[in-house]
Amino acid sequence: MSTIWIKQADVVTLDANGTILRGVDILIENKRIKHIGTVPENTQANEVIDAAGYVALPGFFNAHCHSPMTFERGWAEDLPFPRWLNEKIWVAESALTPDDVYWGAALAACEMIRCGTVGYNDHYFYMDQVAEVVEASGLKAMLAWCTFGIGDDKEIGPGADKQLAFSWEWNNSANGRIHTSLGPHSPYVCPPDFLKRVIVLAGQHDLPIHLHVAESQQQVDNSRERYGQTPVEHLNTLGLFDHHTIAAHCLALTENDRAILADKGVYIPRTPITYMKLAMPVRTPVTVLHESGITRVALGSDGPASNADMDMLAVIRQQVLLEKYSQENPEALPGDMALRMATQIGAQALGFTESGVLAEGRPADLILIDFNRPHLRPRHDLIANMVHSAKGADITHVIVDGQLLMRDRELLTLDEKQILREAEQRAFRMVRQDMSRVREYQD
Amino acid sequence: MSTIWIKQADVVTLDANGTILRGVDILIENKRIKHIGTVPENTQANEVIDAAGYVALPGFFNAHCHSPMTFERGWAEDLPFPRWLNEKIWVAESALTPDDVYWGAALAACEMIRCGTVGYNDHYFYMDQVAEVVEASGLKAMLAWCTFGIGDDKEIGPGADKQLAFSWEWNNSANGRIHTSLGPHSPYVCPPDFLKRVIVLAGQHDLPIHLHVAESQQQVDNSRERYGQTPVEHLNTLGLFDHHTIAAHCLALTENDRAILADKGVYIPRTPITYMKLAMPVRTPVTVLHESGITRVALGSDGPASNADMDMLAVIRQQVLLEKYSQENPEALPGDMALRMATQIGAQALGFTESGVLAEGRPADLILIDFNRPHLRPRHDLIANMVHSAKGADITHVIVDGQLLMRDRELLTLDEKQILREAEQRAFRMVRQDMSRVREYQD
């Protein structure tokens, strides 16, 4: 039996009452939280963590990302979206190999653990490679092999059948830490017949669907022209929302769209840093989603090509700031709600329905944040300090299913030094940097 | 003679050509950079820093803040501006003592050094206390004792004369690291007669003026009603801009205002995180300032009550993201320009005119950023990685006037542990927390 005893932490439980406990112990047995409160002094534990001045929080669930895009971090800067995509990102990705995806995902996993992420929702190619990373890292994930409405395409990997087959082959692997979903890219690149096929498969295999929806008004206009319906109406007519759906972005919604999404219980991950960096207008703010009865709004980093980091604390802060500023309302989106979006709502989206709350019997998916730092004092309001002042680097310990993935900022499951070197060299090759530059950083 | 030898750093010089040097040495002798390039192996140095995989950058100059407001970090959350100010901030500040200001400023100094700030422009009360902190910390600063257009006010300190006298008593102290300015709060709380007196004193003592200008359209409307002029026109008529002026915010400007500010060479610090957190509309974006010929736009954190941290990397990223998003233009405000705003332009605003560039003969005001971290790889673009991915905690070394203030994340000039404890206890007392809460955190 594996036991971790966390001593004297301040615990932000994120339970229904918003309970915050000061200076209490947490006892973890195997995969779950056994007890929160006072632990008898004679308790035996494999690992004892002195957490005086630390805050325990449910770990973050990144509800939408493309983790292997670490390779393109900083590769396409200060460009309009069509040039960003067509001249830089797709050109670079066309040279991608399955091994590259492995190392890109491994680099992302190092970064995510360091920033307190315990689970992520990934949508990319060669996802069997990403699954290997998830298995090795100890993280939780929901993985979708991105599919376009096409047949074989040697450029981006094996045929559509193999891509779809990935989902049921890997579902519930890694001791249940890997969930899979079907990943049709979006209604604008997947024709209705292809989406219908995905919907049938989702039903046959009981798999969620993870796709991009209504990222711009332009997409809505195009959909109306092509199908006489908005993207949300179109997908609803096809029956897609009758399955567990994660519909990323949903930035431009009509009132009817919002009613459909609320009624169907669709999860909507928002990735605010991408919207700001690529200047994508958020026509339907989170406040409006909430007012429309859509309670399942989660948060994600998106890919590191359009955000540039995978730090969920940065995402949380950005969402809160963007909401207050764009609504011209400093009361919009209080910190407690933003933390729930980044933890329990994301966990539910990914099918880890018990995570995101610190309570006895819940999965031990949690992080410790060191508040013994000048920017986190005074502690008038732990929630405010976490949302507006804490940074990824303040997180010292990460525990997933009762396994320590990081102890005192040291990664325990991944060979970070090798990953940094290998991933960077491969990223340089992928973008066809001249060899002199690659050589400069050979270490 | 004090010598620091930094080995094998990548150097982002921020010189006029944007030169970036890879894997070179920096030799610092006393207060200045002696050499950048290859340093002979037999060189003697007091301190040798192995900086392979590190980036050297000019240190940050925070061009507008109220550093002792660390005491109110997290004390007034999710509130509209009038309630934020009247019900929370001013009530708390009314209990402030000079000793409180010392400890609040000391807490801020710890935080600023940890985030790579080498100089800051502070505007608050009891500034002799802040000056003691600057002297002890090794930082550079421009300090203004905030004055309202009033006489004696026992609530906020000594009389206006003493407040103004601070400026010439402390100017150029701490071996030239302290500059002072006159700090009339703003045209909306300082009547014309008082501002005229300040302007006369600025001329007599050759001191800059640091104040708040045009923070909202409401202020502009009120000024027009009272004086028949915008705040900028009003200050210009009084002759204020004939002196070196730092006019914080300037969020609502007319075309004529912009012409005046360009013509007079006024420095304009922007504090984007405050604008977002308190939902203050930026009616005149940085892009428009630049297009109007206003080149002296700097960046600041503002006080930690309205921003919640003093991390200039967070400010830089926020300014870039806000500019791209609000202009609906992903090409707006490239990273290189944002870095210059946060370094050399801020340094010039504070009168440290040679800082902000890494070149031989320049003051050794610089930082090292550790790029051996997953979120900073691959290194396709060092500028992009710094602006969009780096965090304060990636900064390992801070050097000011050739003195190391932080080595490998260890503060060398301040007793951080004592400061954290003392500042927090005093902050709790200031906001009149019940004593049970204060006791909880006694350590």
Side-chain angles (χ1 to χ4, degrees), chain A residues 6-11 21-26 51-52 54-56 368:
Chain A
I6 300 168
K7 288 188 169 178
Q8 291 296 306
D10 292 340
V11 181
L21 303 164
R22 305 255 176 186
V24 299
D25 290 6
I26 302 172
Y54 288 58
V55 171
L368 295 178

Side-chain angles (χ1 to χ4, degrees), chain A residues 14 57-67 73 108-122 139-140 268-274 297-304 307-321 333 335 337-347 349-350 367 369 383 385-395 398 409, chain B residues 317 375 388-389 391:
Chain A
L14 295 184
L57 183 76
F60 300 120
F61 281 83
N62 183 344
H64 178 70
C65 65
H66 314 285
S67 77
R73 190 200 309 281
C110 291
E111 179 182 356
M112 284 191 280
I113 296 171
R114 288 198 167 281
C115 294
T117 293
V118 297
Y120 64 110
N121 194 19
D122 217 16
L139 287 164
K140 295 184 171 178
I268 303 179
R270 285 289 173 91
T271 63
I273 298 178
T274 287
V297 187
L299 290 173
S301 66
D302 215 342
N307 169 341
D309 73 25
M310 303 189 75
D311 181 344
M312 288 296 289
L313 278 169
V315 171
I316 291 164
R317 187 184 196 186
Q318 195 60 77
Q319 182 62 60
V320 168
L321 292 176
L333 198 57
M337 172 55 79
L339 287 180
R340 288 172 194 274
M341 292 165 68
T343 54
Q344 55 201 232
I345 297 176
L350 275 62
I367 61 178
I369 306 175
I383 301 279
N385 285 13
M386 278 191 287
V387 170
H388 290 286
S389 310
K391 306 285 159 52
D394 299 321
I395 295 160
V398 174
R409 301 289 300 153
Chain B
R317 187 183 196 186
H375 61 289
H388 290 286
S389 310
K391 305 286 159 52

Side-chain angles (χ1 to χ4, degrees), chain B residues 284-311:
Chain B
T284 309
V286 170
T287 303
V288 173
L289 296 178
H290 286 165
E291 286 168 356
S292 307
I294 299 171
T295 55
R296 295 177 166 179
V297 187
L299 290 173
S301 66
D302 214 343
S306 57
N307 169 342
D309 74 24
M310 303 189 75
D311 182 343

